[in-house]
């Protein structure tokens, strides 16, 4: 299979028309059409079909485009890997949740850029659902994501990753109400606060409620941990918060009487991409050592900022 033709098919899957592919790659529309037709002949499969005046990928064509991402990445990585002295060079697109960026990424960037000045890093904040989609569409190189043991993530089979750190979560309450482990059934009549941009929070809260015999009444959807704390102190509800994270005055996070809620952070990439030198340089620094997944070290002595989870 000609990799140049695979690149054209991948471009077609992203740009949506032969003309757009031709303009983007400085080719003629006729050339693009001929190369896609030749690729279809090579594979023995219809890859495109008409859609009005345009074309779209058939299901087989879309599957091949998905494979093309991994195939082309592996080809690029192999080419670079042949030169053992090759310096990692390129722009690394990283997206993730704010706490993951602060706890895992920022501490390694100074050393990374000092040792490999040819690597440029572009950082964006995304919740896991957003980051998985961007990775799948090849709009990110690395995602920092999270899930809960009660609400495990289900990323695309095109993606792979490893755990960075884990931390138990508890129930955030006004300080004068926080006494010992929390029996969730005692809070069946309270309103609950969850994340607005990811469903893991709500899934975990609803699972906890079901296990305790009630349906949580979710009234607020908030991304910022600090704003969650402010709402709890003001009496607008309760919510899950990290047990080990410093909190503002007037709030306390207590363990749950059961079951345990564990929040785990991950580094996630597309399969076949990890040998690309700039990405490998970051992953080598992010990867935990042998042994259990560590607890995070919060980067600030007190809770400031606008991250959610």
């Amino acid at each position: 299979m000609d990799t140049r033709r695979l690149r054209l098919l991948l471009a077609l899957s992203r740009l949506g028309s032969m003309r757009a592919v031709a303009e983007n790659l400085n080719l003629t529309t006729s050339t693009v059409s001929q190369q896609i037709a030749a690729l279809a002949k090579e594979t023995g499969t219809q890859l495109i079909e008409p859609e009005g005046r345009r074309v779209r990928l058939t299901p087989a064509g879309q599957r091949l485009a998905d494979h093309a991402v991994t195939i082309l990445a592996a080809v690029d990585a192999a080419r670079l890997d042949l030169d053992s002295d090759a310096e990692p060079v390129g722009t690394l697109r990283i997206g993730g949740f704010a706490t993951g960026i602060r706890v895992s990424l920022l501490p390694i960037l100074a050393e990374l850029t000092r040792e490999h000045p040819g690597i440029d890093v572009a950082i964006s904040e995304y919740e896991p659902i957003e980051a998985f989609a961007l990775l799948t569409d090849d709009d990110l190189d690395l995602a920092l994501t999270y899930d809960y043991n009660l609400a495990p993530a289900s990323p695309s089979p095109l993606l792979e990753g490893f755990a960075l750190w884990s931390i138990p979560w508890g129930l955030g309450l006004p300080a004068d109400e926080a006494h010992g482990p929390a029996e969730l059934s005692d809070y069946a009549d309270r309103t609950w606060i969850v994340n607005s941009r990811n469903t893991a929070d709500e899934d975990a809260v609803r699972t906890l409620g079901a296990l305790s015999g009630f349906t949580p009444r979710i009234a607020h959807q908030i991304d910022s941990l600090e704003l969650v704390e402010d709402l709890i102190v003001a009496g607008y509800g309760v919510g899950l918060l990290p047990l080990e994270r410093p909190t503002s005055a007037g709030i306390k996070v207590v363990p749950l009487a059961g079951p345990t809620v564990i929040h785990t952070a991950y580094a996630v990439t597309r399969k076949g991409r990890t040998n690309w030198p700039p990405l490998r340089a970051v992953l080598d620094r992010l990867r935990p050592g042998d042994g259990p997944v560590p607890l995070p070290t919060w980067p600030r002595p007190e809770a400031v900022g606008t991250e959610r989870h």
Side-chain angles (χ1 to χ4, degrees):
M1 223 178 291
D2 191 322
T3 56
R4 293 171 298 177
R5 292 168 182 161
L6 284 177
R7 292 185 190 278
L8 292 177
L9 182 70
L10 185 57
L12 180 59
S13 74
R14 292 172 181 161
L15 298 175
S17 75
M18 298 279 193
R19 180 178 178 180
V21 173
E23 291 176 350
N24 185 262
L25 299 177
N26 295 316
L27 300 171
T28 65
T29 304
S30 176
T31 297
V32 175
S33 178
Q34 290 171 8
Q35 293 301 309
I36 296 294
L39 181 61
K41 187 174 181 179
E42 282 182 344
T43 60
T45 304
Q46 183 181 355
L47 300 176
I48 59 174
E49 59 190 6
E51 184 180 40
R53 296 183 178 181
R54 297 160 62 96
V55 296
R56 66 181 177 189
L57 269 60
T58 62
Q62 187 58 60
R63 289 198 300 275
L64 183 57
D66 290 340
H67 285 299
V69 175
T70 301
I71 293 168
L72 295 172
V75 170
D76 290 342
R79 185 182 297 116
L80 290 167
D81 202 43
L82 291 176
D83 182 359
S84 59
D85 297 323
E87 171 66 18
V89 174
T91 298
L92 186 64
R93 304 163 299 172
I94 303 176
F97 68 112
T99 297
I101 292 171
R102 283 178 172 163
V103 169
S104 296
L105 182 63
L106 290 183
I108 70 168
L109 286 186
E111 178 196 5
L112 177 76
T113 55
R114 184 173 60 252
E115 294 189 5
H116 302 295
I119 297 178
D120 292 320
V121 179
I123 304 171
S124 302
E125 183 183 351
Y126 297 111
E127 286 292 321
I129 290 176
E130 301 165 325
F132 289 145
L134 290 165
L135 276 177
T136 301
D137 290 342
D138 199 30
D139 291 322
L140 280 181
D141 301 305
L142 170 64
L144 303 179
T145 70
Y146 67 86
D147 69 6
Y148 299 95
N149 59 325
L150 297 183
S154 299
S156 162
L158 295 174
L159 307 181
E160 61 183 352
F162 57 86
L164 295 170
W165 44 264
S166 289
I167 190 168
W169 281 47
L171 187 65
L173 297 168
D176 58 358
E177 294 183 25
H179 305 291
E183 292 285 353
L184 288 181
S185 57
D186 293 341
Y187 302 91
D189 61 345
R190 303 288 284 272
T191 56
W192 286 75
I193 307 165
V194 300
N195 194 310
S196 68
R197 291 164 51 207
N198 195 45
T199 60
D201 240 30
E202 183 171 343
D203 292 344
V205 166
R206 291 193 182 281
T207 298
L208 287 170
L211 292 172
S212 298
F214 70 96
T215 300
R217 181 162 56 91
I218 294 171
H220 312 291
Q221 295 180 318
I222 304 295
D223 291 336
S224 163
L225 286 172
E226 287 70 35
L227 183 52
V228 172
E229 293 178 358
D230 291 344
L231 290 176
I232 291 172
V233 171
Y236 286 99
V238 298
L240 298 178
L241 288 169
L243 276 169
E244 303 297 329
R245 175 181 172 275
T247 60
S248 56
I251 188 169
K252 185 175 180 181
V253 183
V254 299
L256 303 179
T260 301
V261 176
I262 302 295
H263 173 284
T264 301
Y266 302 89
V268 184
T269 66
R270 282 197 68 111
K271 289 182 178 178
R273 286 292 178 88
T274 55
N275 283 331
W276 180 46
L279 180 56
R280 186 172 58 199
V282 172
L283 294 177
D284 287 346
R285 288 165 172 78
L286 288 176
R287 196 180 302 275
D290 296 334
V293 176
L295 287 170
T297 300
W298 297 101
R300 296 177 178 177
E302 58 185 14
V304 294
T306 58
E307 81 272 26
R308 178 56 179 120
H309 315 321

